[in-house]
Amino acid sequence: MLKYTDKINTKSGYMKILLKILFYLALFSLLGFLLIQLFFVDEFNDFKQNVLHLSPPAKTDVSYKTLNIAYAFGPASLEPTHFDSVTRGRLLNIYEALVKTDKDLKIHPCLAVSWGRLNDTTWEFKLRPDVLFHDGSNLTADDVLASFDRAINYQYSQLDDVLKSIKSIKKIDDLTIEIITNYPDPLLVNRISGVLIFPDTLKDFEKPVGTAPYEFFYFDNELLQLERFEGYWGAKPYYKQIVIKTISNRFDRTEQFKKGQIDILANVPPSLIKEISDSSSVTISSLPSLEVNFLVFNMNSGLFKDKRLRKAISLAFDKKEFIDFTLGYAQPADQFVSNGIFGFNPEIKPVQQDIEETKKLLREYDPFKRVQIKIDMAEGTEIIGEYIKDHLNDLGMSVEINILPFEKLNEKIITRSTDIYYLGWKSEIGDASDFLENAVHSQGRFNGGGYVNKKVDQLIELSLRNLDPEKRLQQLHEIMKIIVEDDIVGVPLFESSVIYGIKAGVSFKPRLDGNIIAAEIS
């Protein structure tokens, strides 16, 4: 039988154990909170907004300042279904999509708070409630349907091919839509990040109306002016006004930047970095562009049917020399997509320059005369073209560089009327399938080399329908190995960097997609 003092001691022991448990729970909760704040802050904010439906904290450091951004190139129009980087870079400050990508290309909720597959070909998306367009109307499923209809069916849409897996879209209720695909599409969510949502009543698309933190104010060929939208559903951006300038002359751009008239300067040429960075009031920032530059062979031409000639050119270059043209703002490439893109194969080893083997293969191909080739290249690549020409000539070839307007080069690629061409490809959706489907598949629109491999076609088609990420990655790895090492469809050369000049006092972190989103800048 327990004595009274034993009972007290027992209770005291229980209390100590309970206090220890509470202490460790509090400690682990604190550590968990700190880890979330350090490493998962975006995911935590998404959880608060999209699961708990808590509004983001209002920014107290908003200002009445104007942010001035300058580019080298300007959009021909503000059509929301145009997918080129120049137009898209402006419009992402006015419009939003159902989902958005962060600076590292990770997908996050935007106008859709949640989504999921009901079966292999049916997706359900729940829309964010209480979202206002810049005209004061509320976002509903009708607006989403109208936006997708234009993206898919508008005569001049650049998204129709991106969205070709979609069979139909239907409204379930005002805040729910259902997307049905023709086949299982593992990239559907990535693809729809390009569909910008506008009100179904919008008629004049040169005066855009969206839901983003900034609303349209004025546009001409050289200037786009935006104003902070006070009715925005999320956190208010720092700057009151955004002025986006198009200044085609690089010296004029540089001069305005040096005078402090530009806060963020895009498209900085490597040759002008030293000139603009001499001041302590300027920061230079760069990031890989995800654009890989390469040569592609026409596999049906008399020359490049012979693998010896393709291999000779693939061994001819020390790819580090291409970095000199960018003063170090690039990196060698040995695959057709950048490291970090889903489908990049880490097992493919870099090709080492072998001049003796190149010469040997050229002699085997034709021991009596120099091999004559003409390389088609776009305007603006003349310096690289001259290097390629001189280098291959030194190795025993006779090379002509044919510089064309990009539209003419594009036409030659589509009609497969070029023997060898130079091109840059940017993996916009963060996945290799975009390049493989369009530039490698035998029916690909940009398969200018006429490459045909039934096994590769089959693997590409399977990867476009495979909902298992691990198996899909294995398929993409196998394709990349075949086209780089076995068939040598072309020669990856280098991946360029995007370079920005940033005025002191401006907080800006470049994005992998190259877009400048004003709401992310303070």
Side-chain angles (χ1 to χ4, degrees), residues 94-96 111 131-134 197 209-213 229 232-233:
I94 303 171
Y95 292 106
E96 292 177 308
L111 296 182
V131 172
L132 291 179
F133 284 105
H134 300 151
I197 306 301
V209 176
T211 60
F229 178 48
Y232 182 57
W233 59 265

Side-chain angles (χ1 to χ4, degrees), residues 64-79:
Y64 291 93
K65 295 179 180 179
T66 297
L67 179 72
N68 291 283
I69 303 168
Y71 289 95
F73 311 102
S77 80
L78 297 180
E79 168 58 45

Side-chain angles (χ1 to χ4, degrees), residues 358-474:
T358 293
K359 291 179 177 178
K360 175 176 172 291
L361 289 167
L362 290 175
R363 286 194 300 269
E364 287 180 7
Y365 179 80
D366 193 329
F368 302 108
K369 60 181 181 181
R370 297 167 73 95
V371 177
Q372 295 185 339
I373 63 172
K374 180 165 72 173
I375 304 176
D376 293 316
M377 302 180 68
E379 290 175 342
T381 61
E382 290 85 352
I383 295 175
I384 293 172
E386 283 303 307
Y387 167 75
I388 292 173
K389 172 185 172 181
D390 292 343
H391 185 66
L392 293 180
N393 282 346
D394 289 343
L395 297 179
M397 303 184 73
S398 181
V399 178
E400 176 189 350
I401 300 297
N402 184 32
I403 299 295
L404 299 164
F406 181 75
E407 294 76 15
K408 291 291 184 183
L409 175 62
N410 196 41
E411 183 181 323
K412 292 195 75 172
I413 292 171
I414 291 172
T415 57
R416 301 183 178 181
S417 56
T418 172
D419 279 339
I420 179 172
Y421 60 92
Y422 174 93
L423 191 67
W425 191 282
K426 184 174 182 178
S427 302
E428 298 279 2
I429 61 174
D431 193 283
S433 63
D434 181 40
F435 169 76
L436 298 174
E437 181 183 10
N438 289 286
V440 175
H441 192 282
S442 61
Q443 301 303 312
R445 185 182 181 191
F446 298 104
N447 180 357
Y451 173 64
V452 179
N453 182 316
K454 290 182 180 179
K455 180 180 180 180
V456 168
D457 279 0
Q458 184 182 35
L459 284 168
I460 291 172
E461 290 162 11
L462 288 171
S463 73
L464 291 169
R465 291 161 172 76
N466 195 337
L467 298 176
D468 185 323
E470 291 186 10
K471 291 181 180 178
R472 187 168 172 274
L473 185 60
Q474 291 173 5

Side-chain angles (χ1 to χ4, degrees), residues 305-344:
K305 276 185 178 179
D306 194 313
K307 185 177 177 179
R308 291 175 298 178
L309 192 53
R310 303 200 303 272
K311 186 172 183 180
I313 294 178
S314 75
L315 295 172
F317 300 105
D318 177 1
K319 295 175 184 177
K320 292 179 182 177
E321 292 185 7
F322 287 96
I323 313 309
D324 294 338
F325 295 117
T326 62
L327 303 180
Y329 286 91
Q331 55 191 20
D334 291 285
Q335 297 180 45
F336 295 98
V337 297
S338 170
N339 189 1
I341 295 297
F342 192 84
F344 179 89

Side-chain angles (χ1 to χ4, degrees), residues 9-28:
N9 290 336
T10 301
K11 287 182 180 180
S12 176
Y14 288 151
M15 287 298 294
K16 287 180 180 179
I17 291 171
L18 180 61
L19 287 172
K20 281 185 178 180
I21 291 171
L22 291 173
F23 171 77
Y24 284 118
L25 282 174
L27 179 62
F28 288 134

Side-chain angles (χ1 to χ4, degrees), residues 37 39 43 52 104 132-133 155 178 227 270 307-308 318 352 377 396 416 425 428 439 476 505 507:
Q37 293 301 309
F39 301 109
E43 289 81 357
L52 302 180
D104 299 315
L132 291 179
F133 284 105
Q155 180 182 1
E178 212 171 75
E227 300 282 344
K307 185 177 177 179
R308 291 175 298 178
D318 177 1
Q352 301 300 320
M377 302 180 68
R416 301 183 178 181
W425 191 282
E428 298 279 2
L476 296 177
S507 177

Side-chain angles (χ1 to χ4, degrees), residues 148-164:
F148 271 83
D149 180 69
R150 187 173 181 87
I152 294 170
N153 298 313
Y154 177 53
Q155 180 182 1
Y156 301 109
S157 173
Q158 296 172 359
L159 290 166
D160 54 343
D161 198 50
V162 176
L163 302 172
K164 66 184 179 183

